Amino acid sequence: MITWSTYLSAVSIFLVVYYALVLLLFFRKEIFNKMKMTPARAVVTSSPLQASEVAAPVEGNGFQPMPLLDEVHAYMNQAALDLPKEQEEIVAGVKSILQKYPPLVDPFFRLSINDLVVSLAESKCHVEVSPDVLGRLWR
């Protein structure tokens, strides 16, 4: 014979397991990130960078690229909202951002920034940037 207390215990255990599985299914990335103690990815906003956030020199290559990359991401997010954009407009906007930072003498940074501009222009603005137009970034 099943009593009410046995029935309620079984139902409550079932509900706890059910909702735990639902939470695990929908929030598994966040849960695993917290278990690994890695921070979740930050959302890039389209707010302009402050003057205090310009690239700080570091040992080795003398340039810290994260503020520059964040500003390029923010520009592309804003450009995606202001559609349609032409490839010349996108390259001119990125060039104005690059002028605020120290000279990028390392070819690795230039290639990385070129790749970033091409991929963001295609994914966010739906514009293909040709290599000829992209070469204007560094003149």
Side-chain angles (χ1 to χ4, degrees), residues 32-136:
F32 288 127
N33 281 341
K34 288 191 187 279
M35 289 174 62
K36 292 180 183 178
M37 300 302 285
T38 57
R41 292 184 178 252
V43 177
V44 177
T45 61
S46 60
S47 63
L49 293 176
Q50 302 297 322
S52 62
E53 294 177 332
V54 293
V58 293
E59 290 185 31
N61 58 17
F63 179 72
Q64 185 177 5
M66 285 312 295
L68 169 64
L69 299 179
D70 289 342
E71 195 168 350
V72 170
H73 274 281
Y75 173 76
M76 288 296 185
N77 287 335
Q78 186 62 40
L81 297 175
D82 300 337
L83 288 178
K85 288 277 188 189
E86 297 294 325
Q87 62 181 348
E88 290 85 11
E89 292 177 271
I90 291 173
V91 170
V94 172
K95 185 173 183 175
S96 68
I97 293 170
L98 290 174
Q99 291 172 349
K100 294 190 271 183
Y101 292 88
L104 300 173
V105 292
D106 190 356
F108 174 75
F109 285 130
R110 290 183 179 195
L111 290 174
S112 298
I113 291 172
N114 285 350
D115 291 342
L116 177 70
V117 169
V118 167
S119 67
L120 287 176
E122 287 178 3
S123 67
K124 300 221 180 257
C125 302
H126 308 290
V127 174
E128 288 189 30
V129 178
S130 68
D132 296 334
V133 175
L134 199 57
R136 295 182 200 152

